[in-house]
Amino acid sequence: MEDMLERLPEFESSVRTYSRSFPVVFSKARGAEIYSIDGTRYIDFLAGAGTLNYGHNHPVLKEAVIEYFRGDNIVHSLDLWTKAKYAYLDTFDRLILKPRKLDYKVHLTGPTGTNAVEAAIRLARKVKNRSNIVSFTNGFHGVTMGSLAVTGNAKFRTAAGLPIMGGAFMPFDNYFGGGVDTLAYFRKFLSDRSSGLDHPAAVIVEVVQGEGGINVASTAWLQGLEKICRTHDMLMIIDDIQAGCGRTGKFFSFEHAGVVPDMVTNSKSLSGYGLPFSQVLIRREHDLWEPGQYNGTFRGHNPAMVTAARALEHFWADDTFAEETRQKEMIVRKGFLGLVETLRNYDIEAEERGLGLMRGIDVRSGDLASKITVEAFRNGLMIETSGHSGQVIKCLCPLVITHDQIEEAVQILSRSIARVLG
Amino acid sequence: MEDMLERLPEFESSVRTYSRSFPVVFSKARGAEIYSIDGTRYIDFLAGAGTLNYGHNHPVLKEAVIEYFRGDNIVHSLDLWTKAKYAYLDTFDRLILKPRKLDYKVHLTGPTGTNAVEAAIRLARKVKNRSNIVSFTNGFHGVTMGSLAVTGNAKFRTAAGLPIMGGAFMPFDNYFGGGVDTLAYFRKFLSDRSSGLDHPAAVIVEVVQGEGGINVASTAWLQGLEKICRTHDMLMIIDDIQAGCGRTGKFFSFEHAGVVPDMVTNSKSLSGYGLPFSQVLIRREHDLWEPGQYNGTFRGHNPAMVTAARALEHFWADDTFAEETRQKEMIVRKGFLGLVETLRNYDIEAEERGLGLMRGIDVRSGDLASKITVEAFRNGLMIETSGHSGQVIKCLCPLVITHDQIEEAVQILSRSIARVLG
Amino acid sequence: MEDMLERLPEFESSVRTYSRSFPVVFSKARGAEIYSIDGTRYIDFLAGAGTLNYGHNHPVLKEAVIEYFRGDNIVHSLDLWTKAKYAYLDTFDRLILKPRKLDYKVHLTGPTGTNAVEAAIRLARKVKNRSNIVSFTNGFHGVTMGSLAVTGNAKFRTAAGLPIMGGAFMPFDNYFGGGVDTLAYFRKFLSDRSSGLDHPAAVIVEVVQGEGGINVASTAWLQGLEKICRTHDMLMIIDDIQAGCGRTGKFFSFEHAGVVPDMVTNSKSLSGYGLPFSQVLIRREHDLWEPGQYNGTFRGHNPAMVTAARALEHFWADDTFAEETRQKEMIVRKGFLGLVETLRNYDIEAEERGLGLMRGIDVRSGDLASKITVEAFRNGLMIETSGHSGQVIKCLCPLVITHDQIEEAVQILSRSIARVLG
Amino acid sequence: MEDMLERLPEFESSVRTYSRSFPVVFSKARGAEIYSIDGTRYIDFLAGAGTLNYGHNHPVLKEAVIEYFRGDNIVHSLDLWTKAKYAYLDTFDRLILKPRKLDYKVHLTGPTGTNAVEAAIRLARKVKNRSNIVSFTNGFHGVTMGSLAVTGNAKFRTAAGLPIMGGAFMPFDNYFGGGVDTLAYFRKFLSDRSSGLDHPAAVIVEVVQGEGGINVASTAWLQGLEKICRTHDMLMIIDDIQAGCGRTGKFFSFEHAGVVPDMVTNSKSLSGYGLPFSQVLIRREHDLWEPGQYNGTFRGHNPAMVTAARALEHFWADDTFAEETRQKEMIVRKGFLGLVETLRNYDIEAEERGLGLMRGIDVRSGDLASKITVEAFRNGLMIETSGHSGQVIKCLCPLVITHDQIEEAVQILSRSIARVLG
């Protein structure tokens, strides 16, 4: 490994980032565990930043994809129709859309989240014939130029090399603390014809902001936002790339609030197996795309559709999996609240928050959060930070994690806090 | 299949396009052949628009990826270091860069071509602290907002919903026909401080324009362009997404001309197996990225790095494969020139052109080209059109195609021309 | 006049607006009175929307400009040095800048307000090497493309034909009513690196928003804003085009708050005689313009500099004039508060507000405000409305108005209210 | 004067430019002569860069404006209807539009050229519902952000602080020398749907490029351009700000070519007396402005309309004045061709060109042109340079200049050339 660690930085661009936080070479993984090439085991609370809801290399999905490859089934096909595509779309319709009474068409975009987001906001502009899209403080929707318009992070925005056009930012739920109704602010800007806010075609919002620091939009806020969209003739786009596919305890994160978005973007855990895959869900009446108006070589990646369909059959045919997730939520939550107590003993007013297994501990300092996660990695837990100053320790563990693994991870965190602060 | 053909348009967004030209459901494929679910065989001259240079489901690559999956090796890892990444980067360095005396660092971007293009032009802006990027007429570099700035097609540009900023277009080689030196035009715009052309940070160019209609930049033109870039302090970016990975008879399309670009984008056939994968090659001194300034969930997709490394070992350890490609080029060319003769009998002044196995027949009419390819599909050949009005019948057959398959395809085209025009 | 009223709409573009509210043909004017060609007299509370602070055709200025013309002195000279320019700059320095301890250089721009605003924000971008400019809700700074970026009115923004780039809007003082500190909001957006607010080069603000509906920034708010600018390394630009030149009871509107902006834009009443004239005041250390980097044929209009210098000598050599303005403020205010009482009798909760002789009555309805001003015009008072929905009756009467004229105007308004609501 | 010359640079922003080329203080002027405050006389071949077609302080116009002021007629009135406006519009219609069979409505914009240009291109976008405007190499149309989109000079464009959006540049007539048909180039870009040229709403063009270096569009080229506009559904905007009002020997510069633009911008000499004034002429059917959608405090400046109407009566009631201009053109041309001969003796291949009294000598070097004009100023002639590198000595002398003054100026130039090169 020493030789590799020396040569990799010579090969790879300085843009690399996770290999700086976790500077080892990994080789194997299964479920909630990942191993470096020298055999060191880590519990994975990173989980591909939400890509591995069903864990690493789930055996059921593995068999499905190997069988698919073995049989010389079609791997790459642009957006041709394939048997795998049919099976996926049929399964998605049957197990996900129909039971939830959602009537969406599926746009299979290039297989990255930002491709899906660009498609969604472009279509929204077309539907409403207006260009402005409202996003929210601390929102993250991708870094290609179109998505940057709705992504708040200065790190990405200043790197664009161009002023960024086409978006405007409103405060997310609770942005100014509990007493301030941020939707009232948005409403005022919308109703005042001289506010400087150009009439938006759409809003795009995450139900739980992952990169933004595990900020959860309340049910009341989301319902209020939906109402504003109807009143002011704007589409409501929910970016469910990180929070979707069961992460919050339901398939779509917005199910908790009972809102029905006009568009939904999915990616990350959609394939279930870590394969690149993305889609946009579009209300039937908004599907105004002309043939080929948005394209991409790897749209509708067949192996991903195979594992995606298999994952739906395996995890979403009934409510068992979601129910288990909600139980694990309780365990993580209890553990994290214990850590908050521990932190309080060191005079740190931390906050635990989240929805389902998308949870975080805000320790109020990026420096402290970083020290804790570095120490945790030394002790066998891979966990990252998020938030505008990296102040939130962020748990996106696989949903298939065991109770024991959760307990072990919490104890590592507890020890790490003690070492850093003790 | 009937039932599927009825339900698929209900499931999938109207943006779908190839399923309109080739309206069957496919299931199996191997090498240069693809099969619909009812067993109909088609020779594949589409080949994923350049993604399947090594054919469908190449057995060597198949074994590699199955073995990788079977062993619970890491599938998804964001941009962590993995054994698969090391093996890929080391192999790429050893078999591709070093022998060609190229000293590039590798930026593993999100696994779509447009992600790589956005990264390249963004870094160029950063390196030169200027925003304008020059692209060329009929150039295609992707459809996310950043890439649209350098993509000429009105179909995509008008769908953007925003004016497109950051690019300017100059005429490609031979744009006005043989007598006009288009570089002189570019030089004049650059040297005149009141021409309206803002000093570009970079040019981005395809050696062979695929979507643009198989337009080949001559060696003299590319060398002239390289010189202009040096004289006027601009980076030269070669987008080798479609023309790279051996398509033109050499690994990089620009090797024919002996130019050395500052950046190169790769995708499509890079994984060799149709798996999503992209990279940008960057001169060491231009690697000014700060950690994490450009990101993406599926960057450095491990299974794709496994097949990519295996493909390099299998096809690029010596010159055999490239040599065979150049021989097949002769066969395709001969066949296509015969078709040009046939077309002449119907008073159509067609032109055959291309480089390596990236070839086309310009039949001067999108309507005619469409009729011929529709008829060819009925007769067992999948082949698409390209060019600003779809006037070019475009061959991007797998490089592993057999001589017999080429002959068969040419005969199908010949018969199709006869039926359409006869 | 009948014939003229018929032909004028045939000659002039439909963009005309004031001739719709006041559909007569005017010919003569003096002080605070204006006459139509049939001799009807109107008290002028419009006063060129703040251009005629010293009234129509002030005799002292009239003599100055006639004498200047009579003597074949230079009228037009681009930005050459002229005797008139020297006299103006010397007088401005002596009577305005020096006594206020302000050390500005003068940029004589094209003679419209929007030219001055474009110059100011362009220079701010240059000074800070950042592009974003923060403006405030209901701010109006002109309609050329650069100024539109900082102008909030949807009427102008939607007419641009392009998305508008380069500005962002924050809430003005009191935007959400008394309880909400809008600067806290701005501070939060600035300090959060993921808020979506790109670090601004500058803020541009009106001390009293004229078009916006006579919204007055409080001293505390302006001082707070100045402090934010210092803390966050942004320039503070005060647009004093409408509120400057004595309108608020001091030469510059920002003198009340004791803030010292980095740049100031002046126009409208600057020439004193209604002649086109504009300038930007720039802190000496920020004057980074290269020669000729911003130009315009009519910059530094000589006759305007003659009347401007004469106006400074006549009105600003001592504090008498400003003192008289503040006395008249009391009279207008008393009259308007009476009108507010009257409106309350009709169950309308109107509000009187303003600074100096820039005052308005917010009657909470654009329709009502319009009816009252239409009736007032029938009764001999020319007065306009402003605000996002035209809900504010806006008084910008000449500062040279007499006490009797004020009383008469208030009585006309009183009668008009009675007729409209009675 | 010494004291003034010392203090002026302390007062005025470093953006000043003409005072660098002609570093004296001017005070008086009449006709084609201008005087510094110490009485030095200069022949004025600068003439306000085309603003003083009727010379400095023309006695007839002077009387008109003094009489207007003397009578307490309305000076400032926003866009209210005034007697002066009626008189101007009626006169313009009677003496200019009707005799030329032109049916335009008049949009009185803010009184700078760039205000008129911004209005014209904004309306064109509205009429065609497209945003792109095509301009031409070396075109200059103003420096506010909207006009910058169609202005080619890097000096201004790089100072914008933002990438400039909304325009694209095509080669002007003769841009590549005599053999190349630049309209063929434009046609090719328009007809190719993948050229990267977004379908323009309009073209904006100068018949003679003033700032661009006295480049004259030929009749054939303008007629070809008009035809392209019709074929491709684009408006044709002629910017006649510098070349209009008789400068080329006809009132509008486009009359020579017999084309009929959709819009015309006028400013500079429109008032006749150097007073700020601008307008856009709009085909009746394109006047889609809504009331007040474009505004400006000094639009329709009354004193300027008074002198403008008087100038039309005095100079344009019959063809005498235009005829005299064309005679003077012959004299200037003969003199300049002599200078070209002189330059040839020094091995400089200069070129004389122009239309009417808008003429220049291209000496192929900005450095040489600058030396000659500096020397000329020492000898009593004020004349500037233009062109992308300042290589053209540019004559825009007043049209009222006498034959003797022309001869004297030519002799000064001749002597200056001899001194610089001798």
Side-chain angles (χ1 to χ4, degrees), chain A residues 157 175-176 185 192 194 198, chain C residues 138 157 175-176 185 192 198:
Chain A
R157 293 176 69 87
Y175 190 62
F176 302 115
Y185 181 89
D192 177 353
S194 295
D198 298 318
Chain C
N138 286 282
R157 293 175 69 87
Y175 190 61
F176 302 115
Y185 181 89
D192 176 353
D198 299 318

Side-chain angles (χ1 to χ4, degrees), chain B residues 131 136-139 151-155 157-158 163-166 169-171 175-176 184-185 188-189 191-198 387-389, chain D residues 131 136-139 151-155 157-158 163-166 169-171 175-176 184-185 188-189 191-198 387-389:
Chain B
S131 65
F136 295 89
T137 50
N138 286 279
T151 288
N153 311 52
K155 179 172 73 172
R157 294 175 68 88
T158 54
I164 300 161
M165 191 168 56
F169 288 82
M170 285 289 131
Y175 190 62
F176 302 115
Y185 180 88
K188 170 82 172 162
F189 265 78
S191 58
D192 176 353
R193 293 268 297 159
S194 295
S195 67
L197 180 67
D198 299 318
H388 54 77
S389 51
Chain D
S131 65
F136 294 89
T137 51
N138 286 281
T151 288
N153 311 52
K155 180 171 73 172
R157 292 176 70 87
T158 55
I164 299 160
M165 191 169 55
F169 287 82
M170 286 289 133
Y175 190 62
F176 302 115
Y185 181 90
K188 171 82 171 161
F189 265 80
S191 57
D192 177 352
R193 292 268 296 160
S194 295
S195 67
L197 179 67
D198 299 317
H388 53 78
S389 51

Side-chain angles (χ1 to χ4, degrees), chain B residues 348-373:
Chain B
I348 292 159
E349 283 304 315
E351 183 191 32
E352 196 278 343
R353 57 182 184 249
L355 190 65
L357 282 177
M358 191 162 181
R359 309 207 68 80
I361 304 171
D362 186 334
V363 301
R364 315 300 186 191
S365 152
D367 185 55
L368 175 58
S370 173
K371 280 179 179 154
I372 293 169
T373 55

Side-chain angles (χ1 to χ4, degrees), chain A residues 50-226:
Chain A
T51 307
L52 297 164
N53 284 0
Y54 313 124
H56 289 275
N57 304 333
H58 192 282
V60 169
L61 307 181
K62 179 164 63 176
E63 286 318 304
V65 70
I66 287 176
E67 182 194 333
Y68 190 77
F69 282 151
R70 190 62 84 200
D72 278 345
N73 293 291
I74 287 177
V75 171
H76 186 271
S77 58
L78 297 163
D79 72 350
L80 289 167
W81 281 333
T82 63
K83 201 171 159 187
K85 180 186 281 191
Y86 179 81
Y88 168 66
L89 291 174
D90 178 64
T91 309
F92 191 77
D93 188 60
R94 186 164 38 84
L95 295 181
I96 303 301
L97 297 182
K98 280 226 166 62
R100 288 163 183 80
K101 299 191 170 40
L102 296 168
D103 186 28
Y104 291 129
K105 290 182 82 176
V106 179
H107 178 180
L108 298 160
T109 65
T112 71
T114 194
N115 268 273
V117 167
E118 293 234 354
I121 65 183
R122 195 168 300 178
L123 181 57
R125 286 180 179 131
K126 194 178 169 76
V127 168
K128 292 298 178 193
N129 198 24
R130 299 194 291 271
S131 65
N132 196 25
I133 308 288
V134 159
S135 174
F136 295 89
T137 50
N138 286 280
F140 177 89
H141 303 281
V143 303
T144 53
M145 277 304 287
S147 301
L148 260 189
V150 291
T151 288
N153 311 53
K155 178 171 73 171
F156 302 116
R157 293 176 69 87
T158 56
L162 285 175
I164 299 161
M165 190 168 55
F169 288 82
M170 286 289 133
F172 192 72
D173 191 16
N174 205 29
Y175 190 62
F176 302 115
V180 182
D181 174 8
T182 57
L183 288 182
Y185 181 89
F186 188 14
R187 246 183 248 112
K188 170 83 172 161
F189 264 79
L190 282 167
S191 58
D192 177 353
R193 293 267 298 159
S194 295
S195 68
L197 179 67
D198 298 318
H199 189 180
V203 307
I204 183 164
V205 67
E206 299 153 279
V207 169
V208 187
Q209 296 184 322
E211 299 304 305
I214 311 295
N215 308 311
V216 184
S218 67
T219 288
W221 192 85
L222 285 168
Q223 291 175 346
L225 182 61
E226 185 183 40

Side-chain angles (χ1 to χ4, degrees), chain A residues 7 12 17 24 33 52 56 59 82 86 94 115 122 124 126 164 222 248 257 331 340 343 349 357-358:
Chain A
R7 297 188 70 202
E12 194 177 4
T17 171
V24 302
E33 296 177 355
L52 297 164
H56 289 275
T82 63
Y86 179 81
R94 186 164 38 84
N115 268 273
R122 195 168 300 178
K126 194 178 169 76
I164 299 161
L222 285 168
T248 64
I331 299 170
V340 166
L343 285 157
E349 283 303 314
L357 282 176
M358 190 163 183

